[in-house]
Amino acid sequence: MYEIHTFPALKGAHRRAGLLGVAAAVVAGACPCYYLVPLLAVAGGAGGILAAFGILFSEYQIPIKLGSLALLAFTAFTQERSLRAACELPANDL
């Protein structure tokens, strides 16, 4: 639309390409009226799901934190053991 309005002297193929671009944008859903309602429906559904997860995680906050702490301690312990075994220098027999 900008090109059509700014360059009114263009004739032929340039003008048709501009109008075809506008028509393609409308068909592709570039008009907000075509996708606003489904977008709001999806956003509302996602908000409800996130609210449910928030309530669930708020309710079970302590067990989740304890489980995370146990997982962190286990990972650190096993990593320490494997690194110590991999980096151990062999004893020299003198």
Side-chain angles (χ1 to χ4, degrees):
M1 293 302 288
Y2 172 77
E3 184 179 325
I4 293 170
H5 178 51
T6 305
F7 304 110
L10 288 177
K11 302 256 193 274
H14 293 292
R15 185 167 282 246
R16 274 184 299 195
L19 288 176
L20 285 176
V22 171
V26 169
V27 170
C31 178
C33 57
Y34 292 127
Y35 65 84
L36 184 61
V37 173
L39 181 64
L40 290 175
V42 169
I49 291 170
L50 289 175
F53 277 127
I55 291 169
L56 178 70
F57 288 146
S58 176
E59 183 70 28
Y60 297 108
Q61 183 176 9
I62 301 298
I64 290 173
K65 285 185 177 182
L66 290 175
S68 298
L69 186 61
L71 179 64
L72 179 64
F74 173 74
T75 305
F77 177 71
T78 55
Q79 188 73 18
E80 174 72 24
R81 281 184 44 200
S82 65
L83 285 175
R84 186 172 294 175
C87 297
E88 188 176 348
L89 297 174
N92 291 336
D93 295 324
L94 295 177

